[in-house]
Amino acid sequence: MKLNGVADLPEIRPGDDIAALVAERAALEPGDVLTVASTIVSKAEGRTADLADYLVSGRAQEIADRIEAVAGEEKDPRFAQAVLEESTELLIDCPFLLAETRFGHIAPNAGIDRSNVPDHDLLLLPKRPSESAERIRTGLAQQGIEDVAVIVTDTCGRSFRHGQQGVAIGWAGMPASRDWRGEQDRDGHELGVTVQSVVDELAAAANLVTGEGAGGTPAVVVRNWNFGDHAGSDELFRAVEDDFVRQALREWSFDDT
């Protein structure tokens, strides 16, 4: 498998055609996977905001006041309001905000970014990242580039581990996971639970190439990777009834006494 960053992409502005910009700079081939950082997808889709845009609710003020009391530093209630408006549920509201986005991804602060946002305060995640991936894939086809899968990526921390890694938040042209259940391991034992989240694994691999900070490369071409002869699934975000961690968090509250 080879991963190559797409060099020399310009600063993305609202309305920019990501597919055309990538096609001008990368010789894509059938079977390739194009990973695209959510930051440039959001910029192209105009998903920027300013704190002044938000009218603070009582709930947002309460959240900000409590976090400020715990953390000992001022918290802007307008940011808390932005998180509330981008979320369907707050799983943790102190000492930080862990939220489920409207498309099912769970991330601190609903994935809202406060860095690399020229002329604005906030960069919101794409509204429907899988639809964004499909639009980029369609745009590539219009450029004469067929049979290329697209993954929209973000970086996110993980429970029980330090640091962040690349994860998929949207995809098109390939299943989200490959299902090994019913196949056999090397000792002939039947696999009963193994479902491999390949879009997450490709996103994490691409993040090694994209990098972080000012020198980042927001698009990566993955080549010579094969899904293989496996069943596929588009289930990535765990359903509430199967998510025992989320169920436990609903019963948990931060004790700051």
Side-chain angles (χ1 to χ4, degrees), residues 3 6 18 20 28 73 84 86 91-92 96 101 109 112 119 123 131 136 194 209 217 227-228 232 242 246 253:
L3 297 97
V6 178
I18 292 174
L28 291 161
E73 59 185 50
L84 289 173
E86 291 298 311
L91 299 175
I92 296 176
F96 68 98
T101 69
N109 298 327
I112 297 174
D119 306 319
L123 186 65
E131 292 183 16
I136 294 171
T194 303
V209 177
T217 303
F227 187 87
D242 298 326
R246 189 188 322 195
S253 62

Side-chain angles (χ1 to χ4, degrees), residues 90-162:
L90 279 186
L91 299 175
I92 296 176
D93 60 10
C94 190
F96 68 98
L97 300 179
L98 182 67
E100 180 182 5
T101 69
R102 298 190 179 278
F103 58 88
H105 178 51
I106 294 177
N109 298 327
I112 297 174
D113 201 344
R114 302 186 73 167
S115 60
N116 298 316
V117 197
D119 306 319
H120 293 280
D121 297 326
L122 307 176
L123 186 65
L124 314 177
L125 287 178
K127 283 187 176 181
R128 289 175 286 276
S130 287
E131 292 183 16
S132 302
E134 187 59 55
R135 281 193 293 272
I136 294 171
R137 188 167 185 263
T138 298
L140 291 173
Q142 292 170 348
Q143 300 286 326
I145 303 169
E146 302 281 355
D147 193 25
V148 172
V150 177
I151 300 174
V152 177
T153 71
D154 195 22
T155 53
C156 190
R158 301 152 299 158
S159 300
F160 314 115
R161 294 176 182 263
H162 288 293

Side-chain angles (χ1 to χ4, degrees), residues 171 175-184 190-201 225 227 230-238 242:
W171 61 95
S177 60
R178 53 186 176 189
D179 192 341
W180 294 81
R181 291 173 296 181
E183 300 188 35
Q184 293 185 340
E190 183 174 307
L191 299 173
V193 297
T194 303
V195 178
Q196 183 181 14
S197 178
V198 292
V199 289
D200 278 338
E201 292 183 330
W225 179 83
F227 187 87
H230 305 276
S233 170
D234 274 333
E235 292 185 3
L236 182 65
F237 305 117
R238 191 181 291 275
D242 298 326

